Amino acid sequence: MLADRFGEEPPADDVYDAFHAWVESTGKGLYPHQDEALLAALDGDHLIVSTPTGSGKSMIAMAALFVALSQGRSGYYTAPLKALVSEKFFDLIGLFGAANVGMVTGDSTINADAPIICCTAEILANVALREGRDADAGVVISDEFHFFSEPDRGWAWQVPLLELTDSQHILLSATLGDTSAFVTDLERRTDRRVSIIDNAERPVPLSYTYSLESVSETVKELVSTHRSPVYIVHFSQAAAVSAATELQSVALSSKEQKAAIADAIGDFRFGPGFGAVLSRLLRAGIGVHHAGMLPRYRRLVERLAQQGLLRVICGTDTLGVGINVPIRTVLLTSLAKFDGEKQRQLSAREFHQIAGRAGRAGFDTTGEVVVQAPEHEIENAKAEAKAAERKKKAQKKKPPEGQVNWTRSTFERLIAAQPETLESRMRISHAMMLQILARPGDPVMNVYRLLTDNYEPKRASNPLLRTAVEIYVSLRAAGVIIHRDRDWRDAHPGKPAIELAREVPDDFALNAPLSPFALASLDLLDMESPDYALDVVSVIEAVQEDPRPILMAQRKEERGIAIGAMKAEGMDYNERMARVDEITWPTPLAELLNPALEIYRQTNPWIAEYELSPKSVVRHMVEHSMTFSDLISRYDAARSEGVVLRYLTDTYKALRQIVPADALTDELSDIITWLGELVRSVDSSLIAEWEALADGVIDDDEIMEHTRIPQGGVERAFGAREDGTVPITANLHAFRTRVKNWLWRFVEAAADENVERLAAMSTPSFLEQPQRLDADRWNDFLDGYFEDHEWLGADTNSRSASFVTFNEAPQAADFVAVGLSDDAAQDAASKNYWLVHQIIDDGEESRDTEFVAVIDVRQSGATDELVAQLFRIGDVV
């Protein structure tokens, strides 16, 4: 550890010399602006570091932490993304030693008492709200500080500036824009000087080109003139993959280069689907990099790029947030993007964040930034060239209507433009209010100061204060806070007028704010139910962030099924479209959990801004014996494998963290174990790192183990054998689903009044029935049914689990009730049979008709096929 050289409060000159000595020991030296920052940090100044990408902002952060530790002060290092926090955590361990570095991200906490803590911005903001200037935060490094302007998250970058007034703040970003407001405010608020470090020259200067050639022609020219690696920036994942695929036809790598790539890839295991596509692309010297990829794929691309083996990488604009890929040339395919609400041109900040990644220090004398002209402009340029040859006038194309356009002038304006001034995004929520109320001191003044003395523009009225009053009223009505009257305050001088009436959970404001509700909801479940384990999974899934690609595909599938059923019923188009808009993805336990949340909110109003999202992804995988690859293939989510894996990982971690020991059953434990193994088999990096951190400090060897590129393993569905095959009865949930699907075919055929099909499906039997289910019997049944009812439901709602009942341990009396003789019932009860009742949905909620099936579980297991018999149709018994 570097700080071991010092005693307490060593002379500033000694600290300065020691840091310089360490830098020189690495074979480097400090740039002048880095030396200036070190001196300012030793003087105790705040630092606003607005220097180009590649100019060593990380070294300035290290210097500030080094100074703080040498003086016996603690430090926080914040970043916007958990992945970046984790990366910094490992980097800082290598510099300061494992004992001196901790990490807190909301779902991972390691060595929380260390003098240096790496965390997401929201974590530090919560510390600042709860502890104010008393927080143990000697120096605060705010990396990627331009997130201050993020609409949803910018408050978390602002709160530490407002509340941690005794801390030394180091604000880092390549695109801060005008920082005069921060200088004035920080000096006023903290009585500490602010040093601005913005005089650094780019180690690798940039040159700019506007291209009127096609992307493939531009890439060929860049590669042939030794200006690769080229990062081609797209603004959607689909566009990045599509462009990479199209470039396969362009000869970018020599045979020798391809051989080197193949050797570097070695025995890396590529999965099916996108993995197979990526394998072909990489072997051609073309990489793909975006947030939807599996982490192990992204790390492989980064490793091959760092070795200089990839000529081209097609990716998204995540390039601007610390991507670990060395790049010579950045090629932007557009200067317009969809920002989640509308199509618009890039801001100056976005442009400079992306463009700044070009040029490799120590390798390149210049970095190239190339922007593709719009397609119509490229075509016009070619048409003009041809027309000039023929001495004719070219017919020009116009920009597509309704599409945001850009021109060479747009490009030149962005090059010259300074990043926009950062905008305040301050807000107040129940969670923030409770953090402040938990702080010692006058809570009213603490709230008032936060909401009036901040970076928000001054207005005639303050909407933040109005919101705070509404929150206060709801907290008081819920009995969460007590407002003491004047007599009590007079009798207790020095005591605050407002106090918390009961303890607030420490983790309610972290990454899973509804986790306490999920824990409380487990009491609503019946541990004796055969679906208990899956219901616990559904509770946990309901409080996780949505994996949108899977849910959108599930919704599309559900709507397709419903539309087919409505067409069969003869429903007209307008009514079908009105009905189908109400259909979403499967939402198990929604009818139980949503009312329960409303009750929970009454005494826990800080969760008012959060909504449940019931869904079935892990549950669906268990019920249908699916592997990760099965799930991706079923829902065509190859481009979003990383998103889906992150969801499965988060659900596994939540199951491990939330479900207490007394709520575990053997089956639930098996599901949790299976899910963890499945995640590891796909990509062990996410879960292995989390589990290592959860177990305690890891040493340098373990760091190397957890940051290596994992190769994956054999995926297995829940209940599968070692070879991946699933015995039909090994996974009872999947077996029940198979039974339900088999029984549902009878319902669909009955709704279609297809007696021939019904009779054919009813033929196999292993029990003597009271009445044979032939075509005549089915005709009689349907005639009688439609005399009493107008409708026999076969839509999505009719398929609800509420219409199916499993009796998995029937007694002799149960068999007698459905028509067996006493002797036959006794015999049936001695065997491993199930009775399954399928209630028919008549649209009137009478539920007076059912199909009864008998399932031979033992024989099904022996033959690995469903052995079942529709035994009875008619009135409910």
Side-chain angles (χ1 to χ4, degrees):
M1 183 185 76
L2 299 174
D4 282 343
R5 302 180 190 182
F6 308 129
E8 298 212 354
E9 291 287 346
D13 288 346
D14 288 354
V15 178
Y16 177 87
D17 292 340
F19 191 78
H20 265 275
W22 170 74
V23 173
E24 289 166 5
S25 73
T26 66
K28 301 176 182 178
L30 292 182
Y31 293 127
H33 70 279
Q34 292 172 328
D35 190 65
E36 178 187 349
L38 173 59
L39 289 169
L42 283 165
D43 285 341
D45 292 0
H46 301 301
L47 299 180
I48 296 180
V49 183
S50 183
T51 59
T53 301
S55 61
K57 285 185 289 296
S58 293
M59 181 65 77
I60 293 175
M62 298 307 105
L65 290 170
F66 184 93
V67 169
L69 260 64
S70 73
Q71 297 171 349
R73 295 183 293 133
S74 62
Y76 277 87
Y77 196 115
T78 72
L81 306 177
K82 286 190 284 186
L84 290 179
V85 170
S86 178
E87 183 179 307
K88 276 303 171 196
F89 171 72
F90 288 122
D91 289 345
L92 292 176
I93 283 178
L95 291 168
F96 294 102
N100 290 300
V101 185
M103 182 172 73
V104 182
T105 61
D107 57 6
S108 293
T109 299
I110 175 69
N111 201 21
D113 294 327
I116 298 174
I117 296 295
C118 298
C119 64
T120 49
E122 286 82 356
I123 297 294
L124 179 60
N126 286 322
V127 171
L129 290 168
R130 184 178 282 264
E131 301 181 28
R133 67 188 307 164
D134 294 331
D136 184 14
V139 62
V140 172
I141 314 290
S142 297
D143 206 353
E144 306 290 350
F145 187 73
H146 56 273
F147 271 74
F148 182 93
S149 278
E150 283 290 300
D152 295 329
R153 303 179 62 199
W155 67 272
W157 273 260
Q158 181 168 173
V159 164
L161 299 183
L162 304 178
E163 297 292 340
L164 301 180
T165 53
D166 288 342
S167 301
Q168 181 184 25
H169 291 276
I170 315 295
L171 313 182
L172 307 174
S173 174
T175 56
L176 287 180
D178 179 10
T179 60
S180 57
F182 295 105
V183 174
T184 300
D185 185 77
L186 277 172
E187 291 187 340
R188 172 188 67 84
R189 193 181 298 274
T190 67
D191 196 26
R192 188 193 294 250
R193 189 173 56 193
V194 176
S195 288
I196 298 179
I197 309 297
D198 63 356
N199 55 346
E201 293 185 9
R202 273 191 64 93
V204 182
L206 297 179
S207 63
Y208 298 91
T209 306
Y210 191 70
S211 174
L212 290 168
E213 299 290 341
S214 66
V215 171
S216 60
E217 289 299 319
T218 302
V219 170
K220 277 197 294 186
E221 197 262 337
L222 289 170
V223 171
S224 65
T225 54
H226 308 290
R227 289 182 282 172
S228 61
V230 181
Y231 192 100
I232 309 178
V233 182
H234 305 80
F235 294 96
S236 77
Q237 296 173 4
V241 177
S242 176
T245 304
E246 291 176 8
L247 284 173
Q248 285 184 99
S249 61
V250 181
L252 298 176
S253 300
S254 66
K255 288 183 179 180
E256 293 76 17
Q257 290 165 339
K258 290 179 179 179
I261 293 170
D263 184 60
I265 290 174
D267 61 355
F268 184 94
R269 186 184 65 85
F270 292 93
F274 178 74
V277 173
L278 181 63
S279 177
R280 291 194 299 272
L281 291 171
L282 291 177
R283 295 173 196 282
I286 304 166
V288 177
H289 196 288
H290 60 70
M293 294 168 59
L294 294 178
R296 65 190 180 98
Y297 290 161
R298 289 203 306 272
R299 292 184 182 185
L300 175 62
V301 172
E302 290 167 8
R303 188 186 73 182
L304 295 176
Q306 288 159 7
Q307 293 175 5
L309 297 174
L310 300 180
R311 295 291 171 266
V312 174
I313 302 168
C314 295
T316 58
D317 56 337
T318 52
L319 171 73
V321 191
I323 179 179
N324 188 22
V325 173
I327 301 158
R328 168 70 163 78
T329 300
V330 169
L331 171 60
L332 290 96
T333 58
S334 172
L335 290 178
K337 66 179 286 187
F338 181 72
D339 63 6
E341 295 182 0
K342 64 181 186 300
Q343 192 82 10
R344 61 169 175 79
Q345 289 184 350
L346 295 184
S347 68
R349 171 167 289 106
E350 290 167 330
F351 174 77
H352 288 295
Q353 280 288 134
I354 297 168
R357 295 292 170 180
R360 301 165 296 174
F363 291 91
D364 302 319
T365 57
T366 184
E368 303 271 345
V369 180
V370 181
V371 168
Q372 286 294 124
E375 285 187 21
H376 75 277
E377 198 174 324
I378 294 173
E379 292 178 14
N380 287 341
K382 291 180 178 178
E384 286 180 357
K386 287 184 178 179
E389 291 176 4
R390 301 173 184 174
K391 298 183 179 180
K392 292 183 178 181
K393 187 176 182 180
Q395 186 71 31
K396 290 189 176 183
K397 288 188 175 182
K398 294 182 179 180
E401 289 188 17
Q403 183 173 308
V404 174
N405 192 38
W406 69 96
T407 64
R408 186 186 296 271
S409 296
T410 310
F411 182 38
E412 292 170 350
R413 175 183 61 79
L414 288 172
I415 293 170
Q418 291 297 310
E420 297 79 4
T421 301
L422 294 173
E423 294 182 52
S424 172
R425 304 292 187 175
M426 190 60 182
R427 66 168 184 158
I428 185 67
S429 65
H430 284 77
M432 294 172 66
M433 182 80 91
L434 281 168
Q435 296 280 25
I436 302 170
L437 293 176
R439 189 198 310 172
D442 185 338
V444 175
M445 284 306 301
N446 287 338
V447 172
Y448 182 80
R449 189 183 303 111
L450 177 73
L451 302 185
T452 59
D453 187 11
N454 51 45
Y455 289 90
E456 284 290 296
K458 301 306 176 187
R459 300 182 176 93
S461 62
N462 189 326
L464 292 173
L465 285 177
R466 289 201 303 273
T467 303
V469 171
E470 293 170 2
I471 293 171
Y472 161 79
V473 170
S474 70
L475 292 174
R476 190 173 181 183
V480 177
I481 61 174
I482 299 172
H483 197 143
R484 306 293 188 181
D485 59 26
R486 183 175 297 278
D487 290 342
W488 188 93
R489 295 201 301 272
D490 289 343
H492 300 81
K495 292 286 187 179
I498 300 174
E499 293 182 322
L500 293 180
R502 57 194 178 88
E503 188 64 28
V504 176
D506 290 336
D507 60 351
F508 74 92
L510 303 181
N511 293 348
L514 290 179
S515 292
F517 167 74
L519 174 59
S521 297
L522 298 181
D523 291 337
L524 302 175
L525 306 181
D526 177 10
M527 290 189 72
E528 301 302 319
S529 167
D531 287 330
Y532 171 76
L534 286 184
D535 287 345
V536 171
V537 170
S538 291
V539 169
I540 301 304
E541 288 201 83
V543 302
Q544 301 304 306
E545 291 187 15
D546 290 343
R548 299 294 293 179
I550 298 296
L551 299 189
M552 292 300 100
Q554 287 182 334
R555 186 177 69 178
K556 181 180 179 181
E557 183 177 83
E558 294 290 322
R559 289 180 172 181
I561 293 169
I563 288 173
M566 288 185 279
K567 282 183 178 179
E569 294 171 21
M571 190 181 296
D572 67 57
Y573 175 81
N574 290 333
E575 188 176 357
R576 288 201 309 268
M577 292 303 99
R579 289 265 192 97
V580 81
D581 282 344
E582 301 172 1
I583 297 172
T584 185
W585 52 83
T587 56
L589 300 191
E591 293 180 359
L592 173 71
L593 295 177
N594 284 323
L597 181 63
E598 292 307 311
I599 296 171
Y600 188 81
R601 277 196 179 111
Q602 294 173 15
T603 52
N604 299 271
W606 55 83
I607 63 168
E609 63 194 277
Y610 302 107
E611 295 291 338
L612 278 178
S613 179
K615 48 192 166 287
S616 181
V617 179
V618 175
R619 179 174 186 141
H620 184 77
M621 295 176 73
V622 173
E623 289 181 315
H624 295 271
S625 288
M626 299 176 78
T627 64
F628 179 81
S629 295
D630 293 336
L631 183 73
I632 295 298
S633 175
R634 167 77 178 271
Y635 294 114
D636 192 23
R639 288 198 303 269
S640 303
E641 287 178 326
V643 174
V644 179
L645 182 67
R646 169 63 69 180
Y647 173 80
L648 298 183
T649 303
D650 288 346
T651 303
Y652 167 71
K653 290 189 285 190
L655 284 164
R656 285 271 310 268
Q657 290 174 319
I658 294 173
V659 181
D662 59 4
L664 288 172
T665 62
D666 289 344
E667 185 179 26
L668 179 56
S669 296
D670 289 343
I671 289 175
I672 296 172
T673 300
W674 160 78
L675 184 57
E677 291 175 349
L678 179 71
V679 169
R680 289 187 192 88
S681 71
V682 176
D683 188 336
S684 65
S685 57
L686 290 175
I687 200 64
E689 180 180 297
W690 173 75
E691 290 185 334
L693 297 176
D695 289 339
V697 178
I698 55 180
D699 61 27
D700 293 342
D701 290 338
E702 289 174 303
I703 292 172
M704 293 302 296
E705 176 66 17
H706 291 300
T707 55
R708 68 181 177 82
I709 296 177
Q711 300 301 307
V714 177
E715 295 180 29
R716 280 197 285 271
F718 182 66
R721 301 181 179 98
E722 288 295 320
D723 63 1
T725 59
V726 184
I728 192 171
T729 57
N731 178 347
L732 290 180
H733 299 292
F735 185 61
R736 291 186 194 105
T737 299
R738 186 184 291 253
V739 170
K740 283 189 263 188
N741 290 340
W742 168 79
L743 197 48
W744 186 249
R745 291 199 290 271
F746 286 93
V747 178
E748 290 178 319
D752 292 340
E753 299 184 58
N754 189 336
V755 294
E756 289 79 12
R757 183 181 170 202
L758 288 165
M761 291 191 300
S762 305
T763 301
S765 63
F766 50 86
L767 280 178
E768 184 178 346
Q769 294 169 295
Q771 188 173 10
R772 185 180 176 190
L773 300 181
D774 56 15
D776 291 338
R777 173 67 184 106
W778 278 107
N779 262 321
D780 291 343
F781 165 79
L782 291 172
D783 288 344
Y785 178 86
F786 285 112
E787 283 181 11
D788 298 330
H789 307 288
E790 295 183 357
W791 188 62
L792 195 160
D795 62 7
T796 302
N797 291 332
S798 304
R799 199 170 185 173
S800 164
S802 65
F803 289 103
V804 184
T805 303
F806 281 81
N807 184 346
E808 298 180 7
Q811 304 299 307
D814 298 314
F815 287 105
V816 170
V818 297
L820 275 181
S821 65
D822 288 344
D823 289 343
Q826 290 289 343
D827 182 60
S830 68
K831 298 179 178 177
N832 193 12
Y833 290 164
W834 289 357
L835 279 175
V836 185
H837 298 254
Q838 171 72 60
I839 304 295
I840 302 303
D841 179 14
D842 56 21
E844 301 165 0
E845 289 299 317
S846 58
R847 294 177 177 252
D848 59 5
T849 308
E850 69 175 355
F851 297 166
V852 180
V854 180
I855 314 299
D856 189 336
V857 180
R858 183 179 294 113
Q859 193 62 20
S860 296
T863 62
D864 229 12
E865 293 182 359
L866 177 62
V867 179
Q869 175 182 345
L870 189 65
F871 185 77
R872 178 183 177 278
I873 57 177
D875 295 340
V876 171
V877 295

